[in-house]
Amino acid sequence: METVYVNRSRNAKHLTLQSFQFLIVIDFESTCWDNNRDGKQPEIIEFPAVLLNVRTGIIEEEFQQYVLPVENPILSDFCVKLTGIKQDDVENGMPLHTCLSLFCSWIKEISKKRKLVFHTNQKNSDADARNICTFVTWSDWDLSVCLHNECRRKQLCKPKFLCQWIDLRATYRKFYKRRPQGLRGALSELGLQFEGQEHSGLCDAYNTAHLAWRMVQDGAILKITKVLQTNKQASWTPSKVDK
């Protein structure tokens, strides 16, 4: 997917008021069923993320991996139709613990490349503070429910940096005082088109980043909305640069 550029003409002064200069937008896709009567738990099957430069509106990096579900390894027809993810995609994917390890490596790589400082490490010099970064999701479900519960069930170490984030849906509702009908509806309310396939995790992440940038241009100040208590299973937290 190509680098995304959007209108940068609105309210440039609000850029100086932002707490974060970079945002990493995450949007998981998971196993799902049309009629889940027996209470099967969702497992992540697509793990995408994009890095948005809040000062320019440019998406500078992306990460995407398909993930192999093990609790319910066969995707439902409903899931395949909704997400566009095929059985071959997940069977050629990797276990969640391997994906998390690759994601942490990607975070380390872009942290060094972009000199990122994460919200969990804001006690740095003023010079470092130019590139403070945090995570963004559309609703709390991705990190508070899906990843959190799956890591707990499978006894996996969840990265500490994924215990705080901005819920863009909640921020949107508070700022515009409207309750949109999903991500596509939020974009539409602002005169923006959803690009790509809805419920493709990577497309959803790009569109969420696009929306976040538009909100910044409209004057929204993006702040952490959710903090989960860390535990002994939480793992590596990124510093400015791992040398």
Side-chain angles (χ1 to χ4, degrees):
M1 193 173 293
E2 295 181 357
T3 296
V4 175
Y5 296 85
V6 292
N7 189 342
R8 297 174 232 170
S9 62
R10 295 185 180 90
N11 297 331
K13 66 179 181 180
H14 290 291
L15 296 176
T16 62
L17 303 177
Q18 296 296 328
S19 299
F20 304 102
Q21 289 69 52
F22 284 86
L23 301 172
I24 297 176
V25 181
I26 289 175
D27 194 291
F28 300 137
E29 297 303 324
S30 72
T31 52
C32 53
W33 301 266
D34 187 23
N35 194 342
N36 187 17
R37 292 180 178 176
D38 50 357
K40 293 186 285 288
Q41 296 297 310
E43 293 177 273
I44 294 169
I45 55 175
E46 183 188 1
F47 194 127
V50 298
L51 177 70
L52 172 69
N53 187 325
V54 175
R55 291 170 293 197
T56 64
I58 298 173
I59 292 176
E60 299 186 352
E61 305 281 353
E62 73 171 50
F63 174 92
Q64 183 194 35
Q65 293 291 338
Y66 289 111
V67 184
L68 177 69
V70 295
E71 296 169 342
N72 294 281
I74 305 302
L75 300 182
S76 68
D77 292 340
F78 174 80
C79 183
V80 172
K81 184 176 180 180
L82 180 70
T83 66
I85 298 172
K86 299 178 177 61
Q87 188 67 36
D88 285 348
D89 294 329
V90 296
E91 289 183 356
N92 291 324
M94 59 189 63
L96 180 59
H97 68 86
T98 304
C99 183
L100 285 170
S101 178
L102 285 179
F103 182 66
C104 287
S105 296
W106 180 74
I107 291 292
K108 289 180 180 181
E109 178 185 338
I110 65 172
S111 294
K112 184 174 182 179
K113 181 178 179 181
R114 308 288 180 184
K115 295 182 171 59
L116 302 182
V117 179
F118 281 78
H119 51 76
T120 52
N121 289 287
Q122 290 189 26
K123 294 180 180 179
N124 291 284
S125 69
D126 291 339
D128 293 336
R130 291 176 298 179
N131 288 330
I132 294 177
C133 181
T134 195
F135 295 86
V136 173
T137 60
W138 177 256
S139 89
D140 285 332
W141 178 85
D142 298 84
L143 296 176
S144 184
V145 177
C146 187
L147 179 65
H148 182 74
N149 289 346
E150 187 172 351
C151 286
R152 184 171 57 186
R153 291 197 313 274
K154 297 178 178 179
Q155 298 184 318
L156 302 179
C157 292
K158 184 177 71 173
K160 289 182 181 178
F161 56 78
L162 292 178
C163 290
Q164 297 184 35
W165 63 89
I166 298 168
D167 175 354
L168 198 67
R169 183 176 68 178
T171 305
Y172 182 101
R173 289 173 175 176
K174 183 176 181 180
F175 181 69
Y176 293 110
K177 296 179 171 50
R178 295 197 294 266
R179 297 177 69 86
Q181 294 297 312
L183 176 59
R184 179 183 290 272
L187 289 162
S188 179
E189 286 184 353
L190 300 181
L192 303 174
Q193 293 287 329
F194 187 98
E195 299 180 3
Q197 178 179 331
E198 198 169 8
H199 300 299
S200 157
L202 188 60
C203 288
D204 285 353
Y206 266 83
N207 281 280
T208 302
H210 192 180
L211 178 61
W213 171 244
R214 171 59 184 270
M215 290 173 64
V216 167
Q217 295 300 287
D218 284 350
I221 304 301
L222 304 184
K223 299 179 180 180
I224 296 293
T225 59
K226 185 74 172 182
V227 179
L228 294 180
Q229 184 176 358
T230 57
N231 55 47
K232 293 181 180 180
Q233 286 189 325
S235 61
W236 174 78
T237 298
S239 58
K240 181 183 67 173
V241 177
D242 280 11
K243 295 182 179 180

